[in-house]
Amino acid sequence: MKKLLPFTVLFFVQFFMFGQSEKIPEKYLQKGFIKSDFLSVKMPELEIPNEPNMGFTGIHYNLFLTKNIYSGLGIYGSVSGKRGGFFTLGLNAGLKKYLSEKMYVDAGFHFGGGGGAGAADGGGAFILPHINVGVDFTYFSLQTGWSSINFFDGGRIKGSQLNVAIEIPFNYNYSQHSFSETSFNTNDLVKTNWNKKAKKTGLMVHFNNLKVQKATPNLDGEITGKTIRLAGFEFSNYMNKSWFTFIKVDGAYSGIRGGYMDVFLGGGYHFSFNKNNTNIISKFAIGAGGGGGVDSDGGLMINPDISIEQRVYKGTYLSLNKGYLGTPSSVFATSTLGVGLKYYIERNGIFSADKKLSNGTFKGVGVIVKQDWYLNAKRMENPTEDMHQISLQVNFDLTNKFFVSGQTSFANFGNAGAYGEGLVGFGLKSKKILNNKALFFTQVLAGASGGGNISSGEGLIIKPSIGGNYKINNLLDLRASVGYVKAKGGNLSNSFINLGIQYNFSFLNMK
């Protein structure tokens, strides 16, 4: 019996260790790339004599589905010409095939919706195929080639043009969404492939006030001296302890006619003191903006900013910012003052250069692409008719039942091509049923909207809805919902339905 005891102990130790390792979520690598492209679009002759081409620039994030085939999302905005405030959102699909170690061919397709700035965008739906030749420089690649744009739902913007683009590889690690809200300490993870340096990310919901210092009067009169109130969100990704890049999206909900929007890309420097409880952050961004009757030239804008952040709870900070936002030509110039709530994440690693990390929880994320159908969307002038829009929503799980959301949408059918939305909100999910394949949810979103002759007042809308998800596989759900949208100060007040696909994953958040 004594001879069997060591083997018995060894068996149970191995069994215990095997059981423990089975509990650790597997880490997967998703390959992808960020792409920024530019094309000069010939505009139809309308109310602007000899109208110059519209400089149309896009930001995309694409995932490789196979070695050569990719798909993703992209947003475009006008940065030169006379159509500042022209924005679109759409889906990408393409094939990237290497001809040699460095040279490749990229053939792709973009389908989206949007418009604005009084352009002949029709319902907003457009297609943008391309075929490019690129050169890979390892850390980035450059490409150029032919593209063709066509706003086919009653629009008059169409033609072929050259495009140029830069791509940067951007991969990420993830685990299955089913592990959301499971927790581990550092000792649990130290002998797994999660044992690496964590990457710092910031998520912020903010409100910004633009005090207009200089602007061209519009159909609504003089706007110099007015305050445009914006709501939006910001995503930042840290390259090291201090330097970071970020993307920021805002929409107006008060102060002027609904429809103003801006999208910025930029970088910044982060300085912490007071035992990392207080941060001073300086940022500079460049992007596109306009709409809502704002004359922003071709749409190119700059946004230097400085902010101070104070920790209010664990990884959550209250942010106050002051800065400038306007066109390089100063046709539109504003001073900015805002407030935000920011949440820092140490993701997909178990140690950090500037603080000790001891516990981690896998947090669920859902990325939703859907098509909205607004029934009898009220117009300011044109007869009432249905409107459709393409929509991107991102859900972040705070618990297994409670989530927060950000959403942006652009009209693509229904004679309202310039209409867009930028919303934030929260929701509740039920337990899964039908063999863990289905769930129900309810959510409430609110924020900025406008454009496309839709009667949304100064832009503030609220959108409650209920719906359900049905699991297709470990990554994808089919998603549908019904709801109601109501504008403050406008006649937009109608029910809507939508149908879409939800991409689910989780990441390790260490504290």
Side-chain angles (χ1 to χ4, degrees), residues 38 40 52-56 77-84 297-300:
F38 177 86
S40 182
N53 287 7
M54 177 175 65
F56 207 39
S78 171
V79 293
S80 65
K82 295 295 183 181
R83 301 293 177 176
D297 268 349
L300 182 65

Side-chain angles (χ1 to χ4, degrees), residues 428 440-444 463-469 479-484 496-498:
L428 291 171
F440 296 99
F441 67 86
T442 181
Q443 67 179 31
V444 178
K463 288 178 65 173
S465 62
I466 58 173
N469 284 31
R479 184 185 189 276
S481 69
V482 297
Y484 200 85
F496 67 87
I497 60 176
N498 58 50

